Amino acid sequence: MQQDWKNLLPADFAENARVWVYQSNRPFSEKEHKEIEEQLYHFYSQWQSHGEPVKGWAGILFNRFIVMMADETDTHVSGCSTDSSVRIIKSLERQYSINLFDRMSITFLVKDQAEMLPFQQIQYAIDKGYINADTLVFNNIVNTKQELLEKWLVPLHDSWMASRVKTTA
């Protein structure tokens, strides 16, 4: 599963295409997944910046993350067009009673499943053996397609959290 997600990204987008990752506080049901992807498609197929079409894409990865991407090769994404993307995300939050802006929870890939933990419980999870230094963590602060491909899923020991937790006895 962890390698398949890369094939879902648009291959024709520049490596420096801008990326936004929104993490849901819970997995989506099959029905929600389909409905959300339809709404995202409707949004990005009509996305504009100062009247010019934005080459955009959005999708759901690992049944928990909404990833938006804008290739600015031809059209720069303005503040107003970025605001419009945030509006659709906030609308999805209201419609589906989800939280997509919680930055205090961290998601790990455990047995090919995206599992979320509150930041304050990570050390406990390490101490109990639920996760370890090699467990993959989702780095949702990636900014480009290249970073998404190379730095979104990294082992805990290579992540920004490495200095904040103790992974060895």
Side-chain angles (χ1 to χ4, degrees), residues 16-63:
N16 66 343
R18 288 179 64 188
V19 167
W20 298 267
V21 178
Y22 299 95
Q23 168 180 275
S24 174
N25 62 312
R26 63 171 176 79
F28 301 116
S29 71
E30 192 174 317
K31 180 178 184 273
E32 290 171 333
H33 189 117
K34 183 178 183 205
E35 291 172 358
I36 292 169
E37 287 218 324
E38 286 175 11
Q39 290 184 56
L40 292 170
Y41 174 78
H42 181 75
F43 169 76
Y44 75 77
S45 64
Q46 298 178 28
W47 199 2
Q48 293 198 350
S49 180
H50 299 292
E52 295 296 319
V54 171
K55 183 178 179 181
W57 176 87
I60 296 173
L61 301 178
F62 290 93
N63 205 37

Side-chain angles (χ1 to χ4, degrees), residues 69-118:
M69 192 178 301
D71 186 334
E72 295 182 300
T73 304
D74 296 323
T75 305
H76 177 72
V77 176
S78 67
C80 292
S81 53
T82 301
D83 288 348
S84 69
S85 70
V86 172
R87 278 194 297 279
I88 184 76
I89 296 298
K90 288 186 176 193
S91 172
L92 293 170
E93 278 190 315
R94 288 188 301 275
Q95 287 176 62
Y96 296 99
S97 299
I98 55 176
N99 184 341
L100 295 166
F101 291 95
D102 178 6
R103 302 295 185 226
M104 293 308 295
S105 292
I106 311 298
T107 303
F108 296 87
L109 191 63
V110 179
K111 298 179 183 172
D112 277 338
Q113 295 294 316
E115 301 287 344
M116 180 182 278
L117 289 170

